[in-house]
Amino acid sequence: MRATSLRIFLKVILLNVTILYSSYLFSAVHLIAESGQSAAGFTSEYTYNNLMTPVIGSSGHVAFTGDAIGRNKLNAVWSGLPGQLKVIIKENDSVPGFPDNVFFSSALSTNTIGSRIFAMQAERIIVTESGHVGFIAELKEFGAISQDYPFGVVAYVGGKIYGILRNGDQAPGFSQEYSIRGITNLAFTDAGMVIQAVVADRNSNQSERMGIWFWNFETLELIPSPVANCSYILLSTAISSVNINQSGKVAFSSGLGGALCPSETFGIFKWDQKKTQMILAGGDPVPGMADTTFHLDLDNRGLNIFAINANILSFNDQGEISFPAILRNAANGSAKKSLWVADSSGAIKLLSLEGEFLAEDVNNTFLLPFTEASLPLIASNGLSIVPVKTDSSIAILTGAPRPSQPYANINEAGVSQLSTVLQLADQPPGFGDTWFFSAFSSIAMNKAGQFALSGTVVDADDTSIDVYGSPSSRKFGIWRGTSKSDLELVAYDGMPFFVKGEEMGLYFLIQRFVNGTAGSVITFSESQILHSSTEGGRATQLNDSGQIVFGGSFEAPGGDFRRGIFLAEGKNNQEERVFALAEQVFPDLFSPANGVNQTAEGFLFRFYPATNTYLGIKNETVFVAGERFGSGIIEVGPLENVIVFLEAQ
């Protein structure tokens, strides 16, 4: 009887998979949380609401913020593997490490410090490879004189919350009169956390300095200045940033000055747990260019970034740093934008100089926009990805820095060593021949050199215009690949997906109607992939396995739009997804869960000793074996189809 029921079960799988697959092309995207769903970690009357800022770690752990609505509304942060989400902290929770009268309010989006605004939205929650979570939180203080700006750094490590540093604390490593005036930045990996903050004399707000600390999961260590009598300072004309890699090395940019400092400058630094090294300082000579110097204080004269915590560096696990600089010639006053890489030894190599020619089109020069979404990202394989503005388009380039600097002056320009991955007007994978890219939003890159791209596409054959003056055919999408040849569409406006067997549509651009009149078009910022790398300890929506987490909306049964957090699996993760889902949905067939992956005769498989069964994958097809299924190896169906079926259960 049991064997018969299992054969029927397999036939049902095959039948359902075939039906689902006929209307579903992008089955590797699934919903992991949605507004209106029971909120993990809360009592049953609480549901998710206003889900935002999704991020992901290299091992697949995700985190996001939002609030839960029930008897009241409570802000919260959730994290975990998909299907195993838990609330790690919620509004009014105490924060161990901070005073007893201090409680969590929300994950921070904007940090206002005096007349300055530190726009923390540029740095979201960070998830490390092991699933640790770090973020800047807004706090509540009761029973005492509250800080004007009660913000602090909070971490979730090993199932516990840690309050690390907050505004108003005595600044570790400084004399007693100095306190934390404003936390501006952080980066976090399994090697530890680096925090950057403004410190000031309690008696004089004019005596501001910059402090940079390393947290080793127990204590804070002040990272020292490499120059005697000089302190890190905040410069209004410069962008400070911090990064940390998996080995615990720290790269950062900061001003350097002080009353006894020989001169005030801005520099790029590296700290290796023992000493601080200045990699480059403003005013240093450019290799091979007479009378030409580096200028790193990139304000609105050069870098179109206004958030003081924006990250201008990219730092990989090999210790390489990519960064922008303006080159200035003292003899004639000319200036040009440029991009450079400092290798692990500190040697400076040219990545790109404004005015160079595209390798594929020597009649087309390019400019460096110097916006936060156009700064270079460097991977562990030594390749960087660089968005540029050409004479007629926007292009995305990739490649390694030059082994030597070929130009004698900044007015020379040759053919770039970088190759073109994409340009606007290229045909977007996943769309018809008449479609083209109309805009690139941002790019993320992982250590293997794979990238995720967000942007909009338009159908050239559809010339109609909507009420906002935009093409009616416009769609937002996310792509993933390592080159133009293997670029694949991951998600797009109107894409169907399934929740418990019901087909729904995913949307990034939503037109609201108020009293029968079209309202504004809303682009969910979470769908625009963060311009980030998986290395350097920063927030990212792409991980090293190719998984992408993003926010969007979908039309639920009944016509109402709901916010959701979605996960797009990497190709290598689809196998793991089948194992995990099968073990979760059918524990009576595949136990114990989380077995060891094995290979034989082209199969990737798991053996389940408790049920004496096998689940295997070969050539993107799923198979089962064992007495409970009958004799021989039984084909279940295509890998993606099986994922669709299992997710619908």
Side-chain angles (χ1 to χ4, degrees), residues 4-18:
T4 301
S5 65
L6 289 173
R7 292 191 186 97
I8 293 173
F9 152 72
L10 288 172
K11 290 180 180 179
V12 171
I13 286 183
L14 290 167
L15 176 61
N16 277 277
V17 165
T18 302

Side-chain angles (χ1 to χ4, degrees), residues 277-574:
Q277 175 189 5
M278 180 181 282
I279 301 298
L280 190 69
D284 282 356
V286 177
M289 290 188 183
D291 301 319
T292 306
T293 55
F294 287 100
H295 288 258
L296 304 171
D297 51 339
L298 306 174
D299 62 359
N300 57 4
R301 294 171 298 178
L303 186 61
N304 300 317
I305 299 174
F306 301 99
I308 199 162
N309 67 307
N311 193 34
I312 66 169
L313 307 180
S314 181
F315 185 42
N316 68 18
D317 287 342
Q318 308 306 311
E320 298 171 306
I321 308 169
S322 65
F323 61 92
I326 295 176
L327 309 184
R328 297 189 186 278
N329 184 280
N332 58 27
S334 59
K336 271 194 177 179
K337 298 173 184 176
S338 60
L339 301 173
W340 299 78
V341 171
D343 68 18
S344 57
S345 69
I348 307 297
K349 299 179 180 180
L350 179 64
L351 183 63
S352 184
L353 179 67
E354 194 165 67
E356 289 182 315
F357 299 87
L358 292 178
E360 296 81 4
D361 183 0
V362 295
N363 296 314
N364 204 347
T365 62
F366 61 80
L367 304 176
L368 301 173
F370 272 25
T371 62
E372 189 177 1
S374 68
L375 295 179
L377 300 172
I378 188 167
S380 276
N381 61 7
L383 300 181
S384 294
I385 193 160
V386 182
V388 301
K389 182 178 181 180
T390 70
D391 292 337
S392 58
S393 183
I394 300 292
I396 297 172
L397 312 182
T398 187
R402 295 180 182 273
S404 60
Q405 199 284 101
Y407 305 123
N409 64 73
I410 59 176
N411 293 317
E412 290 185 11
V415 176
S416 174
Q417 84 284 5
L418 304 177
S419 59
T420 303
V421 178
L422 279 175
Q423 293 192 63
L424 291 185
D426 282 352
Q427 191 270 329
F431 288 84
D433 293 341
T434 61
W435 290 76
F436 64 93
F437 282 108
S438 59
F440 299 135
S441 299
S442 54
I443 300 176
M445 190 178 195
N446 65 22
K447 64 172 61 177
Q450 185 182 48
F451 63 88
L453 166 73
S454 58
T456 54
V457 297
V458 170
D459 185 356
D461 281 356
D462 185 350
T463 59
S464 61
I465 301 298
D466 64 21
V467 294
Y468 313 104
S470 299
S472 299
S473 62
R474 180 179 61 161
K475 291 182 181 291
F476 189 92
I478 298 173
W479 291 261
R480 174 181 53 211
T482 58
S483 65
K484 185 175 182 179
S485 62
D486 71 353
L487 194 65
E488 62 174 343
L489 180 63
V490 172
Y492 65 96
D493 275 310
M495 185 185 82
F497 69 99
F498 287 84
V499 177
K500 295 181 179 179
E502 290 193 67
E503 181 177 331
M504 302 184 188
L506 170 66
Y507 294 95
F508 298 120
L509 303 175
I510 296 178
Q511 182 171 301
R512 302 291 190 188
F513 289 84
V514 180
N515 296 327
T517 303
S520 62
V521 173
I522 300 173
T523 302
F524 290 101
S525 61
E526 294 79 16
S527 62
Q528 298 186 28
I529 300 301
L530 281 173
H531 186 80
S532 62
S533 167
T534 62
E535 301 173 271
R538 308 290 294 202
T540 181
Q541 290 173 256
L542 168 73
N543 71 9
D544 291 328
S545 299
Q547 292 176 301
I548 304 171
V549 66
F550 58 94
S553 184
F554 63 95
E555 187 172 5
D560 63 314
F561 279 91
R562 296 183 182 178
R563 293 290 292 272
I565 305 295
F566 296 83
L567 180 70
E569 295 287 359
K571 286 187 175 180
N572 292 336
N573 290 92
Q574 293 186 46

Side-chain angles (χ1 to χ4, degrees), residues 624-627 629-634:
V624 293
E627 291 184 2
F629 300 109
S631 60
I633 299 174
I634 299 174

Side-chain angles (χ1 to χ4, degrees), residues 157 162-164 191-193 214-221:
V157 177
Y162 294 83
I164 302 169
M193 180 184 290
F214 172 71
W215 182 61
N216 64 2
F217 298 95
E218 293 182 357
T219 59
L220 283 166
E221 178 182 354

Side-chain angles (χ1 to χ4, degrees), residues 263-276:
S263 62
E264 186 176 282
T265 188
F266 188 81
I268 295 171
F269 306 86
K270 187 187 289 184
W271 181 71
D272 63 0
Q273 306 272 332
K274 296 178 180 178
K275 65 178 182 179
T276 309

